[in-house]
């Protein structure tokens, strides 16, 4: 079984991230921007992610905080 790195795992959750944006905005372009900003921050700070934690929860927290700080 191939090893999946963190960036691949994040990419697999892109649809879940887009669905989660519905809590913050109904605008498709804002949703896409929020997903992109979330993924960028996650990749930038990936050294802070711990393998034994919930990746989806970590990403959702980044998204929520990004929304609060920027939108």
């Amino acid at each position: 079984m191939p090893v999946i790195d963190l960036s691949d795992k994040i990419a697999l959750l892109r649809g879940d991230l887009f669905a989660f944006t519905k809590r913050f905005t109904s605008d498709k372009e804002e949703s896409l921007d929020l997903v992109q900003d979330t993924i960028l921050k996650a990749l930038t700070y990936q050294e802070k992610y711990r393998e034994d934690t919930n990746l989806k929860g970590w990403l959702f927290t980044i998204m929520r905080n990004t929304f609060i700080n920027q939108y």
Side-chain angles (χ1 to χ4, degrees):
M1 185 169 174
V3 175
I4 300 176
D5 70 356
L6 185 61
S7 61
D8 291 334
K9 291 178 185 178
I10 291 170
L12 291 171
L13 291 171
R14 189 172 187 275
D16 293 322
L17 290 171
F18 186 75
F20 190 61
T21 64
K22 302 297 185 224
R23 291 182 176 212
F24 307 111
T25 182
S26 59
D27 183 89
K28 184 178 179 183
E29 293 303 316
E30 283 185 10
S31 290
L32 292 172
D33 287 346
L34 186 53
V35 169
Q36 182 177 349
D37 290 346
T38 300
I39 291 173
L40 179 61
K41 284 183 180 183
L43 294 174
T44 300
Y45 298 104
Q46 63 184 314
E47 72 279 352
K48 295 182 184 275
Y49 174 72
R50 301 291 170 243
E51 283 292 325
D52 59 339
T53 60
N54 179 340
L55 177 59
K56 190 186 295 187
W58 185 65
L59 293 170
F60 285 178
T61 299
I62 292 171
M63 179 176 283
R64 184 189 72 236
N65 291 341
T66 299
F67 179 80
I68 290 168
N69 291 331
Q70 291 182 355
Y71 294 87

